[in-house]
Amino acid sequence: MGYRFILASASPRRRELLKQIGVTFEVMPAKGEEVITKEQPEQAVMELSRQKAEEIAAGIQDEQVLVLGADTVVVYDGKILGKPKDEADARAMLSMLNGRTHSVFTGVTVIVMRNGKSEIHSFYEETKVTMYPMTDAQISYYIQTGEPMDKAGAYGIQGKGAVFIEKINGDYNNVVGLPVAKIFYKMLESGIEIL
């Protein structure tokens, strides 16, 4: 590939997905405060992913670098659900999603630095997720596991939360946090092979 690949995220799930497809990369999590100015969820996640990628790219001097920023949100009935603030917030989110279909949006920004120039590629992926009905006791048990606390929408499809998922329509990896296939093909369109 010839590019230094930097993931601007601390997410262990994103690291696992990149490892899974065989990408060699470094991790440099963005530390800036996330600021959403867009109303539409697809615009908001692209905006946040771009902020993360630009923060890291600003400190890089090397030639031939790819910086990847990503942000994932859950959206139900037009409401953006990020990570829960506390257990009560997690319960409110899970109750909202209970037995219903919602969308998971991941925004991705890849900044390609080569030949003294930067190209910015931002896009998003949407996956529809339908949850089985859950009892209050099931929601309480799940919250007590601690898993919901660092996940958008208060659940992890790749963890214990999998038991509540009836079906998905779209890219499973997008729900985990990174649409790796779309990233691969978007980069190919730009003449860059990341593998």
Side-chain angles (χ1 to χ4, degrees):
M1 165 177 106
Y3 282 85
R4 180 180 171 202
F5 192 118
I6 299 171
L7 173 63
S9 170
S11 165
R13 294 162 293 280
R14 293 191 180 116
R15 287 198 300 265
E16 285 166 19
L17 287 167
L18 287 176
K19 283 181 189 163
Q20 178 184 313
I21 63 167
V23 173
T24 301
F25 61 96
E26 301 166 49
V27 177
M28 287 187 188
K31 297 188 175 23
E33 190 172 334
E34 297 181 353
V35 180
I36 300 176
T37 64
K38 310 287 188 204
E39 301 257 332
Q40 296 300 107
E42 61 272 23
Q43 296 299 319
V45 289
M46 286 193 296
E47 178 178 40
L48 290 170
S49 72
R50 184 169 176 154
Q51 289 171 12
K52 292 175 183 180
E54 286 179 337
E55 177 189 324
I56 299 305
I60 304 294
Q61 301 302 320
D62 301 17
E63 289 289 316
Q64 303 278 95
V65 180
L66 297 179
V67 179
L68 187 152
D71 196 82
T72 302
V73 297
V74 168
V75 178
Y76 176 71
D77 198 23
K79 184 174 170 55
I80 294 176
L81 307 178
K83 295 174 185 175
K85 295 186 283 292
D86 52 31
E87 289 187 1
D89 198 25
R91 181 177 303 282
M93 288 184 189
L94 289 166
S95 298
M96 190 185 301
L97 303 177
N98 189 0
R100 300 184 179 100
T101 299
H102 61 272
S103 289
V104 178
F105 288 90
T106 299
V108 176
T109 296
V110 180
I111 299 179
V112 181
M113 299 159 71
R114 57 182 166 183
N115 306 323
K117 296 188 176 103
S118 292
E119 300 165 24
I120 298 177
H121 304 270
S122 288
F123 51 91
Y124 73 93
E125 185 70 40
E126 178 184 6
T127 304
K128 300 273 191 192
V129 180
T130 303
M131 294 186 119
Y132 280 110
M134 296 174 275
T135 65
D136 287 344
Q138 288 167 334
I139 290 173
S140 293
Y141 166 78
Y142 184 50
I143 290 169
Q144 291 310 306
T145 69
E147 185 176 272
M149 302 317 296
D150 70 335
K151 312 281 192 304
Y155 75 93
I157 195 170
Q158 73 288 352
K160 295 175 181 72
V163 74
F164 304 121
I165 307 303
E166 181 179 355
K167 63 183 174 184
I168 72 166
N169 183 0
D171 182 351
Y172 168 84
N173 290 326
N174 183 54
V175 184
V176 177
L178 201 62
V180 287
K182 189 162 194 171
I183 292 166
F184 176 72
Y185 284 100
K186 285 281 187 185
M187 290 298 90
L188 276 184
E189 286 171 12
S190 302
I192 297 164
E193 293 195 33
I194 61 172
L195 300 178

